Amino acid sequence: MKESTTDLFDPRTVMDSDFSLGNGGVSSDGDFAFAFNDSNFSDRVLRIEIMAELAECKSDGEGCNSIAEWARNRKRRREEIKKENAAASFAVYRDEQILNCNQPDTEDVVAYENQDEEVVAMIEESPSVAGDEAALGNDPSWSMDCSTVQRVKTIHISSPILAAKSPFFYKLFSNGMRESEQRHVTLRINASVEVLNPFVEEAALMELLNFMYRNTLSTTTAPALLDVLMAADKFEVASCMRYCSRLLRNLPMTPESALLYLELPSSVLMAEAVQPLTDTAKQYLAARYKDITKFQEEVLNLPLAGIEAVLSSDELQVASEDSVYDFVLKWARAQYPKLDERREVLGSRLGRLIRFPYMTCRKLKKVLTCNDFDHDLASKVVLEALFFKAEAPHRQRTLAAEESAITNRRFVERAYKYRPVKVVEFELPRQQCVVYLDLKREECTNLFPSGRVYSQAFHLGGQGFFLSAHCNMDQQSAFHCFGLFLGMQEKGSVSFAVDYEFAARSKPTEEYVSKYKGNYTFTGGKAVGYRNLFAIQWTSFMADDSLYFINGVLHLRAELTIRH
């Protein structure tokens, strides 16, 4: 036994220490299975009264083969409870009050408050237990407004073992009153429950009591584990909650179960104990829906917590952050038809998950005029995005690194299908733009042997253009090499005569050095460029001593000028 019960009760201090790598995930606490329900090693008798109101009810997990069924049962239970509008109460009574359904005298009651328990604990002065069956149902005094006892379960318990695992039992057995010294304790499982918490069913309670002795569970199905987890929350057994959470994390997950796990922190008192399970659920949803275009209809039907998990991912496979912005608006308009509710959820929840600094300037202009966002919020995020775009690359990387440790991550770049670019535009004396495209070494590595990566669109003279980097086969020398191309987005039959120049930073000066110049009359969908930009083989280009990777980044520049 551990000496400090305070540390045992605090999930923040215990964390996952209950799960030792050396014992297959079983608690490192002592195994007292030999003492369970054994009068020789017990100092109390626990009487569990199952109320008659429970006769036609089931626990959320009873008869469920899947998480989806568990969730449906739970939702149905919530609706039934709302209709009943039953008030839950929790107190410690003396034996004289057990049969009295009227308001007890305050002198005879020891108050024991718990905000959401339907369990009633009573400590009896005289033993009245005779096996697992109770005859109280025949007592005429039970025919009043109180629920009758359908059946009774009695077990021998050790108060030190239960007190060491649970603040609930610790306070029950050490409240300093005369009742805490009595040998017989009654737990009444009531039919009235809190809306957010499913009721404690007998099997779940017995599993919980077994865990407090054995530090392991016999149940292995997700619905049953959830029932035990909810029971553990009611009786404040944080170690059992963490144990159930660990087992649930190791079971196959589904979208239904992941969404249910996301609700747990708001459904239980000890939210920290289930946080690892919630984090795993978020990771599952983010991985499953990382290509939101592939599962668009499914993602549009996700609840708020689910869409937040998806949008928080750095690995979201989208064309650009513009696409994320458009998708968020589409989801919000479908889920929240009322403008004031939509503005609230965008402003307080979803807006912070849009990475505005990586949106194009054209789309940022639309943010300023979008009625779905509060005007002050829109102005703030657009200004922040523009200031970020104006920062030097090293400063941008510093801001992204600082953000990577927190939830917001608005300066962290996602795995966009189209790479972000920085664009400087000139109207006079000629229409011209300078475009900067940075590629990481790993991105270039992934191009071999025949891959390509596209930049986000940028505009010149009202026309959309893009850059594309390729791994090509040199037609003359028959070896792989790095190529860079400039293309115009297809838009009608408009033609543009453009002078262009490609440049790249290179060692030792780390200045941009011109690599290729040309001119071309573009029509929609056409592209022009150079198949071997650096006039070297791919292996030399990617070598550790390559002249073109500076701190692991390839810096490219394209200058475009409209010819009249």
Side-chain angles (χ1 to χ4, degrees), residues 73-356:
N73 284 356
R74 185 165 183 255
K75 181 179 180 181
R76 186 165 57 250
R77 287 285 303 156
R78 285 179 173 179
E79 293 171 351
E80 291 172 356
I81 294 156
K82 287 179 180 179
K83 291 178 182 178
E84 294 170 4
N85 194 24
S89 63
F90 176 66
V92 176
Y93 296 96
R94 287 179 55 182
D95 190 46
E96 295 92 308
Q97 276 73 50
I98 296 179
L99 303 181
N100 184 4
C101 300
N102 297 322
Q103 179 71 23
D105 295 334
T106 54
E107 293 180 352
D108 294 330
V109 177
V110 179
Y112 191 102
E113 297 181 357
N114 192 314
Q115 59 183 327
D116 68 348
E117 299 301 338
E118 76 279 7
V119 179
V120 176
M122 294 163 283
I123 300 181
E124 305 173 18
E125 289 194 22
S126 59
S128 59
V129 177
D132 288 347
E133 300 299 328
L136 290 178
N138 299 321
D139 192 318
S141 63
W142 285 87
S143 62
M144 301 172 65
D145 293 335
C146 288
S147 305
T148 59
V149 177
Q150 184 196 25
R151 65 183 185 277
V152 172
K153 186 91 173 180
T154 61
I155 60 173
H156 296 277
I157 60 171
S158 168
S159 57
I161 292 177
L162 269 59
K165 290 282 188 179
S166 160
F168 175 98
F169 287 105
Y170 178 80
K171 287 178 282 188
L172 183 63
F173 297 139
S174 62
N175 59 18
M177 305 299 290
R178 182 168 61 91
E179 287 83 351
S180 65
E181 301 174 359
Q182 301 303 316
R183 185 169 184 267
H184 293 267
V185 180
T186 298
L187 283 184
R188 176 175 294 169
I189 301 176
N190 232 336
S192 59
V193 296
E194 183 67 22
V195 172
L196 291 180
N197 287 328
F199 68 98
V200 179
E201 188 259 353
E202 179 186 352
L205 177 56
M206 293 305 297
E207 279 283 353
L208 176 63
L209 292 172
N210 268 282
F211 176 88
M212 297 170 77
Y213 278 79
R214 295 183 170 94
N215 301 305
T216 187
L217 295 173
S218 61
T219 188
T220 57
T221 65
L225 286 170
L226 280 168
D227 276 343
V228 177
L229 185 148
M230 302 306 286
D233 181 61
K234 290 178 179 297
F235 290 101
E236 304 176 66
V237 187
S239 58
C240 186
M241 291 184 70
R242 291 192 300 274
Y243 187 90
C244 292
S245 176
R246 183 184 181 93
L247 293 182
L248 288 168
R249 295 203 313 268
N250 292 332
L251 291 176
M253 204 168 286
T254 65
E256 292 80 12
S257 64
L259 292 172
L260 185 62
Y261 300 155
L262 290 184
E263 292 183 8
L264 285 177
S266 61
S267 303
V268 300
L269 293 176
M270 293 184 287
E272 286 187 57
V274 297
Q275 193 59 51
L277 178 60
T278 301
D279 292 341
T280 301
K282 291 179 180 178
Q283 293 167 10
Y284 168 83
L285 291 173
R288 177 178 174 84
Y289 299 119
K290 65 180 180 180
D291 189 348
I292 57 176
T293 57
K294 184 179 178 182
F295 300 95
Q296 185 164 162
E297 290 305 316
E298 203 171 331
V299 178
L300 283 173
N301 289 321
L302 289 176
L304 179 58
I307 200 71
E308 284 181 314
V310 173
L311 296 178
S312 297
S313 173
D314 295 344
E315 304 304 320
L316 203 60
Q317 294 179 355
V318 290
S320 64
E321 197 66 28
D322 290 4
S323 301
V324 175
Y325 170 81
D326 290 336
F327 189 87
V328 168
L329 284 185
K330 186 176 182 179
W331 182 91
R333 288 166 180 170
Q335 298 286 339
Y336 298 89
K338 295 182 179 179
L339 179 60
D340 55 343
E341 294 179 356
R342 187 162 67 248
R343 277 190 170 186
E344 170 63 24
V345 76
L346 287 172
S348 62
R349 303 284 291 272
L350 293 183
R352 60 188 177 83
L353 300 177
I354 302 173
R355 304 183 184 183
F356 293 95

Side-chain angles (χ1 to χ4, degrees), residues 544-563:
D544 292 339
D545 60 352
S546 173
L547 299 178
Y548 302 105
F549 286 97
I550 302 172
N551 296 324
V553 178
L554 174 66
H555 301 272
L556 301 172
R557 184 185 71 189
E559 293 187 23
L560 284 69
T561 306
I562 295 180
R563 275 194 299 129

Side-chain angles (χ1 to χ4, degrees), residues 457-474:
F458 53 92
H459 293 79
L460 177 64
Q463 197 65 38
F465 291 86
F466 62 90
L467 294 173
S468 61
H470 298 234
C471 178
N472 304 292
M473 180 68 74
D474 187 280

